[in-house]
Protein backbone atom coordinates (compact mmCIF):
# COMPACT_ATOMS: atom_id res chain seq x y z
CA UNK A 1 0.00 0.00 0.00
CA UNK A 2 1.45 3.36 -1.06
CA UNK A 3 1.57 5.99 1.67
CA UNK A 4 -0.63 9.09 1.40
CA UNK A 5 1.01 12.50 0.93
CA UNK A 6 1.24 15.02 3.71
CA UNK A 7 -0.50 18.40 3.25
CA UNK A 8 2.83 20.26 2.83
CA UNK A 9 4.47 17.69 0.54
CA UNK A 10 5.95 20.21 -1.91
CA UNK A 11 7.44 22.24 0.91
CA UNK A 12 8.76 19.05 2.54
CA UNK A 13 10.49 17.96 -0.68
CA UNK A 14 12.00 21.43 -1.18
CA UNK A 15 13.32 21.29 2.39
CA UNK A 16 14.82 17.83 1.87
CA UNK A 17 16.61 18.83 -1.34
CA UNK A 18 17.79 22.07 0.24
CA UNK A 19 19.88 20.09 2.70
CA UNK A 20 21.91 18.68 -0.25
CA UNK A 21 22.30 15.35 1.49
CA UNK A 22 20.69 12.94 -0.97
CA UNK A 23 23.16 10.57 -2.68
CA UNK A 24 26.11 11.79 -0.61
CA UNK A 25 28.92 9.57 0.65
CA UNK A 26 28.71 7.72 4.00
CA UNK A 27 29.67 9.79 7.05
CA UNK A 28 30.82 8.48 10.42
CA UNK A 29 28.39 10.55 12.49
CA UNK A 30 25.34 9.04 10.80
CA UNK A 31 26.80 5.53 10.74
CA UNK A 32 27.42 5.65 14.49
CA UNK A 33 23.80 6.67 15.16
CA UNK A 34 22.40 3.73 13.18
CA UNK A 35 24.77 1.28 14.90
CA UNK A 36 23.75 2.58 18.32
CA UNK A 37 20.04 2.39 17.42
CA UNK A 38 20.40 -1.25 16.31
CA UNK A 39 22.27 -2.15 19.50
CA UNK A 40 19.85 -0.42 21.88
CA UNK A 41 16.78 -1.85 20.16
CA UNK A 42 18.41 -5.28 19.75
CA UNK A 43 17.55 -5.54 16.05
CA UNK A 44 19.57 -6.66 13.01
CA UNK A 45 18.65 -3.70 10.77
CA UNK A 46 18.78 0.05 11.33
CA UNK A 47 18.47 2.87 8.77
CA UNK A 48 18.55 6.63 8.39
CA UNK A 49 16.02 6.81 5.58
CA UNK A 50 15.30 10.01 3.64
CA UNK A 51 12.00 9.97 1.77
CA UNK A 52 12.16 11.63 -1.66
CA UNK A 53 9.33 12.07 -4.18
CA UNK A 54 9.58 8.61 -5.77
CA UNK A 55 12.07 6.77 -3.57
CA UNK A 56 13.57 6.38 -0.14
CA UNK A 57 17.35 6.67 0.16
CA UNK A 58 19.47 5.42 3.04
CA UNK A 59 22.05 7.90 4.33
CA UNK A 60 23.29 5.28 6.79
CA UNK A 61 22.45 1.62 7.22
CA UNK A 62 23.19 -1.43 9.34
CA UNK A 63 22.27 -4.98 8.31
CA UNK A 64 21.24 -4.19 4.74
CA UNK A 65 23.22 -3.53 1.55
CA UNK A 66 20.79 -1.83 -0.83
CA UNK A 67 21.01 2.00 -1.11
CA UNK A 68 17.24 2.48 -0.94
CA UNK A 69 13.95 1.48 -2.52
CA UNK A 70 10.97 2.75 -4.48
CA UNK A 71 8.43 4.86 -2.65
CA UNK A 72 5.82 2.08 -3.07
CA UNK A 73 7.94 -0.19 -0.85
CA UNK A 74 8.81 2.46 1.72
CA UNK A 75 7.43 1.87 5.19
CA UNK A 76 9.09 5.15 6.21
CA UNK A 77 6.76 6.97 3.80
CA UNK A 78 3.87 5.82 6.01
CA UNK A 79 5.74 7.06 9.07
CA UNK A 80 6.17 10.63 7.77
CA UNK A 81 2.46 10.89 6.92
CA UNK A 82 1.50 10.13 10.52
CA UNK A 83 2.71 11.13 13.98
CA UNK A 84 6.32 11.56 15.05
CA UNK A 85 6.70 7.84 15.78
CA UNK A 86 5.42 4.71 14.05
CA UNK A 87 5.71 1.15 15.31
CA UNK A 88 4.27 -1.89 13.52
CA UNK A 89 4.61 -5.05 15.60
CA UNK A 90 3.76 -7.45 12.74
CA UNK A 91 4.01 -5.98 9.25
CA UNK A 92 2.28 -9.00 7.67
CA UNK A 93 -0.92 -8.15 9.55
CA UNK A 94 -1.00 -4.39 8.94
CA UNK A 95 -2.93 -3.06 5.93
CA UNK A 96 -0.22 -0.47 5.26
CA UNK A 97 2.54 -3.05 4.87
CA UNK A 98 1.06 -6.52 4.22
CA UNK A 99 1.68 -6.23 0.46
CA UNK A 100 5.07 -4.53 0.75
CA UNK A 101 7.76 -6.43 -1.18
CA UNK A 102 10.12 -6.27 1.81
CA UNK A 103 7.44 -8.04 3.83
CA UNK A 104 6.27 -10.58 1.25
CA UNK A 105 9.66 -11.19 -0.39
CA UNK A 106 12.83 -12.93 0.72
CA UNK A 107 13.69 -10.17 3.23
CA UNK A 108 10.61 -11.06 5.32
CA UNK A 109 10.61 -7.86 7.36
CA UNK A 110 8.13 -8.45 10.17
CA UNK A 111 8.79 -5.53 12.51
CA UNK A 112 9.21 -1.80 11.96
CA UNK A 113 9.73 1.16 14.30
CA UNK A 114 10.62 4.63 13.01
CA UNK A 115 11.13 8.05 14.65
CA UNK A 116 10.80 11.10 12.40
CA UNK A 117 13.66 13.37 11.32
CA UNK A 118 11.91 16.75 11.55
CA UNK A 119 13.04 20.34 11.09
CA UNK A 120 12.03 23.19 13.39
CA UNK A 121 8.68 23.52 11.62
CA UNK A 122 7.88 19.82 12.09
CA UNK A 123 8.38 18.99 8.43
CA UNK A 124 9.74 15.43 8.14
CA UNK A 125 12.70 14.49 5.94
CA UNK A 126 12.52 10.79 6.75
CA UNK A 127 13.12 8.53 9.73
CA UNK A 128 15.62 6.78 11.89
CA UNK A 129 14.12 3.30 11.84
CA UNK A 130 14.86 -0.19 13.13
CA UNK A 131 13.61 -3.44 11.56
CA UNK A 132 13.50 -7.11 12.48
CA UNK A 133 12.61 -10.33 10.69
CA UNK A 134 10.27 -11.43 13.44
CA UNK A 135 7.26 -9.77 15.09
CA UNK A 136 8.07 -7.92 18.31
CA UNK A 137 7.67 -4.63 20.15
CA UNK A 138 10.05 -2.17 21.75
CA UNK A 139 9.95 -1.28 25.41
CA UNK A 140 9.48 2.31 26.60
CA UNK A 141 13.22 2.89 27.03
CA UNK A 142 13.97 1.72 23.50
CA UNK A 143 11.25 3.95 22.05
CA UNK A 144 12.59 7.00 23.90
CA UNK A 145 16.13 6.16 22.84
CA UNK A 146 15.10 5.81 19.20
CA UNK A 147 13.41 9.21 19.25
CA UNK A 148 16.41 10.80 20.99
CA UNK A 149 18.78 9.34 18.40
CA UNK A 150 16.50 10.59 15.61
CA UNK A 151 16.80 14.09 17.07
CA UNK A 152 20.58 13.71 17.08
CA UNK A 153 20.54 12.55 13.46
CA UNK A 154 18.53 15.64 12.53
CA UNK A 155 21.03 17.86 14.36
CA UNK A 156 23.78 16.21 12.30
CA UNK A 157 21.88 17.03 9.10
CA UNK A 158 21.40 20.64 10.16
CA UNK A 159 25.04 21.00 11.23
CA UNK A 160 26.15 19.56 7.92
CA UNK A 161 24.11 22.18 6.04
CA UNK A 162 25.33 25.00 8.29
CA UNK A 163 28.96 24.08 7.59
CA UNK A 164 28.28 23.94 3.85
CA UNK A 165 26.56 27.36 3.95
CA UNK A 166 29.47 28.81 5.92
CA UNK A 167 31.92 27.48 3.33
CA UNK A 168 29.94 29.10 0.50
CA UNK A 169 29.96 32.41 2.41
CA UNK A 170 33.71 32.13 3.04
CA UNK A 171 34.40 31.61 -0.65
CA UNK A 172 32.24 34.60 -1.56
CA UNK A 173 34.11 36.79 0.94
CA UNK A 174 37.45 35.48 -0.40
CA UNK A 175 36.39 36.36 -3.94
CA UNK A 176 35.37 39.89 -2.96
CA UNK A 177 38.57 40.48 -0.99
CA UNK A 178 40.64 39.33 -3.96
CA UNK A 179 38.77 41.69 -6.30
CA UNK A 180 39.16 44.59 -3.85
CA UNK A 181 42.92 44.04 -3.56
CA UNK A 182 43.29 43.89 -7.34
CA UNK A 183 41.29 47.11 -7.75
CA UNK A 184 43.43 48.88 -5.15
CA UNK A 185 46.63 47.75 -6.89
CA UNK A 186 45.32 49.11 -10.20
CA UNK A 187 44.53 52.48 -8.63
CA UNK A 188 48.03 52.72 -7.17
CA UNK A 189 49.59 51.86 -10.54
CA UNK A 190 47.63 54.72 -12.12
CA UNK A 191 48.81 57.08 -9.38
CA UNK A 192 52.44 56.02 -9.91
CA UNK A 193 52.24 56.90 -13.60
CA UNK A 194 50.88 60.37 -12.89
CA UNK A 195 53.22 61.14 -9.98
CA UNK A 196 56.13 63.48 -10.88
CA UNK A 197 58.17 63.07 -7.68
CA UNK A 198 60.64 60.19 -7.84
CA UNK A 199 60.46 59.85 -4.06
CA UNK A 200 56.66 59.61 -4.13
CA UNK A 201 56.78 57.07 -6.97
CA UNK A 202 59.20 54.93 -4.96
CA UNK A 203 56.90 55.06 -1.92
CA UNK A 204 53.87 54.11 -4.02
CA UNK A 205 55.83 51.28 -5.63
CA UNK A 206 56.61 49.95 -2.15
CA UNK A 207 52.93 50.13 -1.17
CA UNK A 208 51.94 48.36 -4.38
CA UNK A 209 54.49 45.63 -3.70
CA UNK A 210 53.06 45.03 -0.22
CA UNK A 211 49.54 44.86 -1.64
CA UNK A 212 50.71 42.35 -4.25
CA UNK A 213 52.21 40.29 -1.42
CA UNK A 214 48.94 40.28 0.53
CA UNK A 215 47.02 39.41 -2.65
CA UNK A 216 49.31 36.46 -3.38
CA UNK A 217 49.03 35.19 0.20
CA UNK A 218 45.26 35.52 0.11
CA UNK A 219 45.08 33.64 -3.18
CA UNK A 220 47.33 30.87 -1.88
CA UNK A 221 45.18 30.48 1.25
CA UNK A 222 42.06 30.42 -0.91
CA UNK A 223 43.50 27.73 -3.22
CA UNK A 224 44.63 25.65 -0.25
CA UNK A 225 40.91 25.54 0.70
CA UNK A 226 41.24 23.72 4.02
CA UNK A 227 39.17 25.98 6.22
CA UNK A 228 40.44 26.91 9.70
CA UNK A 229 43.45 24.54 9.68
CA UNK A 230 46.13 24.97 7.02
CA UNK A 231 48.95 22.53 6.27
CA UNK A 232 51.83 24.87 5.50
CA UNK A 233 53.64 22.43 3.19
CA UNK A 234 51.22 22.71 0.22
CA UNK A 235 50.36 26.29 1.19
CA UNK A 236 53.98 27.52 1.12
CA UNK A 237 54.53 25.62 -2.12
CA UNK A 238 51.81 27.81 -3.68
CA UNK A 239 53.32 30.96 -2.12
CA UNK A 240 56.75 30.05 -3.55
CA UNK A 241 55.31 29.37 -6.99
CA UNK A 242 53.56 32.75 -6.99
CA UNK A 243 56.47 34.76 -5.52
CA UNK A 244 58.98 33.17 -7.89
CA UNK A 245 57.81 35.63 -10.55
CA UNK A 246 59.72 38.40 -8.78
CA UNK A 247 63.01 36.46 -8.96
CA UNK A 248 65.45 36.93 -11.89
CA UNK A 249 64.93 34.28 -14.58
CA UNK A 250 68.18 32.46 -13.82
CA UNK A 251 67.41 31.92 -10.13
CA UNK A 252 66.12 28.50 -9.10
CA UNK A 253 63.78 28.31 -6.10
CA UNK A 254 63.54 25.05 -4.15
CA UNK A 255 61.15 24.27 -1.32
CA UNK A 256 61.00 21.25 0.98
CA UNK A 257 58.80 21.49 4.05
CA UNK A 258 57.53 18.92 6.51
CA UNK A 259 53.80 19.04 7.22
CA UNK A 260 52.63 21.37 9.97
CA UNK A 261 49.03 22.39 10.62
CA UNK A 262 48.42 26.00 11.65
CA UNK A 263 45.48 28.35 11.89
CA UNK A 264 44.89 30.35 8.72
CA UNK A 265 46.18 33.47 10.51
CA UNK A 266 49.42 31.77 11.54
CA UNK A 267 49.82 30.23 8.09
CA UNK A 268 49.44 33.71 6.61
CA UNK A 269 52.31 34.90 8.83
CA UNK A 270 54.49 32.05 7.55
CA UNK A 271 53.54 32.96 3.99
CA UNK A 272 54.48 36.59 4.64
CA UNK A 273 57.88 35.51 5.96
CA UNK A 274 58.65 33.39 2.89
CA UNK A 275 57.35 36.01 0.47
CA UNK A 276 59.28 38.83 2.14
CA UNK A 277 62.49 36.78 2.29
CA UNK A 278 62.17 36.08 -1.44
CA UNK A 279 61.48 39.75 -2.17
CA UNK A 280 64.57 40.80 -0.19
CA UNK A 281 66.71 38.19 -1.94
CA UNK A 282 65.48 39.34 -5.34
CA UNK A 283 66.33 42.93 -4.50
CA UNK A 284 69.68 42.46 -2.76
CA UNK A 285 71.10 38.95 -3.25
CA UNK A 286 70.37 38.54 -6.95
CA UNK A 287 70.49 42.09 -8.20
CA UNK A 288 72.56 42.14 -11.43
CA UNK A 289 73.02 38.34 -11.19
CA UNK A 290 71.79 35.82 -13.72
CA UNK A 291 72.13 32.65 -11.67
CA UNK A 292 71.47 31.53 -8.14
CA UNK A 293 69.54 29.18 -5.87
CA UNK A 294 67.03 30.16 -3.22
CA UNK A 295 65.88 27.45 -0.78
CA UNK A 296 62.92 27.25 1.60
CA UNK A 297 63.03 24.42 4.13
CA UNK A 298 60.94 23.48 7.12
CA UNK A 299 61.24 20.69 9.65
CA UNK A 300 60.22 19.60 13.15
CA UNK A 301 62.85 19.48 15.87
CA UNK A 302 62.08 18.82 19.54
CA UNK A 303 58.59 20.33 19.63
CA UNK A 304 59.56 23.31 17.47
CA UNK A 305 59.21 24.03 13.78
CA UNK A 306 62.28 25.44 12.02
CA UNK A 307 61.68 27.45 8.86
CA UNK A 308 64.68 28.65 6.84
CA UNK A 309 64.88 30.83 3.74
CA UNK A 310 68.40 30.78 2.27
CA UNK A 311 69.93 32.59 -0.68
CA UNK A 312 73.44 32.15 -2.13
CA UNK A 313 74.09 35.85 -2.65
CA UNK A 314 76.88 38.03 -1.22
CA UNK A 315 75.52 37.91 2.34
CA UNK A 316 74.59 40.67 4.77
CA UNK A 317 76.71 43.81 4.70
CA UNK A 318 78.95 44.72 7.65
CA UNK A 319 77.15 46.47 10.46
CA UNK A 320 73.77 45.13 9.34
CA UNK A 321 71.11 44.67 12.05
CA UNK A 322 67.67 43.08 12.01
CA UNK A 323 65.95 46.42 12.60
CA UNK A 324 67.30 47.78 9.31
CA UNK A 325 64.77 48.29 6.55
CA UNK A 326 61.04 47.78 6.23
CA UNK A 327 61.42 44.24 4.93
CA UNK A 328 63.22 43.03 8.03
CA UNK A 329 60.71 44.74 10.31
CA UNK A 330 57.91 42.94 8.48
CA UNK A 331 59.74 39.63 8.92
CA UNK A 332 60.19 40.21 12.64
CA UNK A 333 56.54 41.22 13.10
CA UNK A 334 55.36 38.07 11.28
CA UNK A 335 57.63 35.91 13.45
CA UNK A 336 56.20 37.52 16.59
CA UNK A 337 52.66 36.77 15.41
CA UNK A 338 53.67 33.11 15.30
CA UNK A 339 55.00 33.36 18.85
CA UNK A 340 58.42 32.57 17.40
CA UNK A 341 61.84 34.12 16.96
CA UNK A 342 63.61 35.28 13.81
CA UNK A 343 67.38 35.13 13.44
CA UNK A 344 69.94 35.50 10.67
CA UNK A 345 72.57 32.80 11.39
CA UNK A 346 76.09 33.49 10.09
CA UNK A 347 76.93 31.72 6.84
CA UNK A 348 80.02 31.46 4.65
CA UNK A 349 77.89 32.00 1.55
CA UNK A 350 74.62 33.88 1.29
CA UNK A 351 72.01 34.89 3.83
CA UNK A 352 69.64 32.82 5.94
CA UNK A 353 66.39 34.04 7.46
CA UNK A 354 65.40 31.53 10.13
CA UNK A 355 62.17 31.50 12.14
CA UNK A 356 61.51 29.00 14.93
CA UNK A 357 58.20 28.57 16.76
CA UNK A 358 56.69 26.02 19.10
CA UNK A 359 54.14 23.63 17.63
CA UNK A 360 51.28 21.80 19.28
CA UNK A 361 51.88 18.07 19.95
Amino acid sequence: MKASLIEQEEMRLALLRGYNILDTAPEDGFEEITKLAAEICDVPISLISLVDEDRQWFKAKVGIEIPGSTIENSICAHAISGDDYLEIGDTSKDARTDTNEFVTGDDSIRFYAGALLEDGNNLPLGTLCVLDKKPRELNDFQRRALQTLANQAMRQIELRKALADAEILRKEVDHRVKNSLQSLEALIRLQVRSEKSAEARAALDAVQGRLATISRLHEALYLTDTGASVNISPFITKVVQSAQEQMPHGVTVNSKLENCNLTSRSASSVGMIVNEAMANASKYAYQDRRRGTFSVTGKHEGGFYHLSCIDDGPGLPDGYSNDTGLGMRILMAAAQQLGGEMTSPARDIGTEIKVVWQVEP
Side-chain angles (χ1 to χ4, degrees), residues 113-127:
L116 294 189
L117 307 173
E118 294 181 304
D119 80 332
N121 295 317
N122 299 117
L123 283 174
L125 305 183
T127 71

Side-chain angles (χ1 to χ4, degrees), residues 3 23 25 30 49 75 88 109 133 135 194 201 208 249 274 351:
D23 302 309
F30 296 105
S49 174
I75 304 177
I88 302 175
I109 299 299
K133 295 188 177 184
S194 63
R201 285 199 302 271
Q208 183 185 337
H249 292 302
V274 172
T351 302

Side-chain angles (χ1 to χ4, degrees), residues 50-361:
L50 301 174
V51 180
D52 201 359
E53 183 176 14
D54 56 1
R55 62 168 179 158
Q56 65 175 349
W57 178 76
F58 306 146
K59 174 59 182 173
K61 52 187 182 289
V62 171
I64 195 170
E65 296 299 325
I66 60 174
S69 77
T70 63
I71 199 70
E72 288 79 12
N73 290 315
S74 171
I75 304 177
C76 296
H78 291 284
I80 68 170
S81 63
D83 295 326
D84 58 358
Y85 178 80
L86 173 66
E87 182 171 330
I88 302 175
D90 188 343
T91 56
S92 66
K93 297 179 180 179
D94 191 291
R96 292 167 293 185
T97 56
D98 58 2
T99 59
N100 188 295
E101 290 182 7
F102 288 111
V103 176
T104 61
D106 295 336
D107 295 298
S108 300
I109 299 299
R110 288 291 180 270
F111 169 77
Y112 174 91
L116 294 189
L117 307 173
E118 294 181 304
D119 80 332
N121 295 317
N122 299 117
L123 283 174
L125 305 183
T127 71
L128 169 65
C129 61
V130 292
L131 304 95
D132 205 342
K133 295 188 177 184
K134 58 184 179 182
R136 56 171 299 168
E137 64 178 26
L138 300 183
N139 59 42
D140 289 340
F141 167 74
Q142 290 170 324
R143 294 186 183 106
R144 290 196 303 270
L146 190 62
Q147 289 174 304
T148 298
L149 289 173
N151 292 337
Q152 292 303 311
M154 190 64 210
R155 300 293 85 77
Q156 287 273 356
I157 293 172
E158 291 174 342
L159 176 60
R160 188 180 182 281
K161 184 177 186 299
L163 291 173
D165 290 345
E167 180 63 14
I168 291 171
L169 178 61
R170 183 185 71 83
K171 289 184 177 181
E172 176 62 22
V173 170
D174 284 339
H175 181 69
R176 293 191 180 190
V177 169
K178 179 181 177 181
N179 287 346
S180 296
L181 289 171
Q182 290 175 339
S183 297
L184 191 53
E185 282 188 72
L187 287 172
I188 293 175
R189 281 196 297 270
L190 290 173
Q191 186 62 37
V192 169
R193 293 170 187 168
S194 63
E195 185 59 56
K196 296 180 180 180
S197 167
E199 185 176 339
R201 285 199 302 271
L204 287 170
D205 280 335
V207 172
Q208 183 185 337
R210 304 302 174 200
L211 275 174
T213 295
I214 294 171
S215 182
R216 282 194 294 266
L217 291 174
H218 179 82
E219 182 177 12
L221 275 173
Y222 175 78
L223 292 174
T224 302
D225 198 27
T226 53
S229 179
V230 177
N231 183 349
I232 66 170
S233 178
F235 168 57
I236 295 302
T237 298
K238 291 184 174 70
V239 172
V240 168
Q241 290 170 347
S242 177
Q244 191 167 1
E245 296 176 2
Q246 63 192 313
M247 288 289 192
H249 292 302
V251 176
T252 300
V253 181
N254 300 319
S255 62
K256 185 178 181 181
L257 297 100
E258 295 180 0
N259 293 334
C260 179
N261 289 327
L262 295 174
T263 64
S264 58
R265 181 178 180 181
S266 295
S268 182
S269 295
V270 176
M272 181 67 75
I273 290 167
V274 172
N275 192 92
E276 198 64 36
M278 292 180 69
N280 286 348
S282 174
K283 186 175 181 181
Y284 300 111
Y286 300 119
Q287 191 174 33
D288 301 324
R289 293 180 62 192
R290 295 184 178 180
R291 293 186 178 181
T293 302
F294 186 90
S295 300
V296 181
T297 62
K299 59 183 178 179
H300 293 273
E301 288 184 7
F304 291 82
Y305 196 86
H306 295 246
L307 176 74
S308 290
C309 300
I310 305 171
D311 67 60
D312 58 354
L316 296 174
D318 294 336
Y320 183 89
S321 65
N322 281 343
D323 58 357
T324 301
L326 178 60
M328 279 297 177
R329 291 199 293 271
I330 290 175
L331 285 168
M332 294 180 68
Q336 289 173 356
Q337 287 179 349
L338 281 167
E341 181 182 5
M342 191 204 81
T343 58
S344 298
R347 297 180 60 84
D348 294 334
I349 299 175
T351 302
E352 177 178 4
I353 301 297
K354 185 172 185 177
V355 179
V356 179
W357 67 89
Q358 190 171 15
V359 295
E360 295 294 332

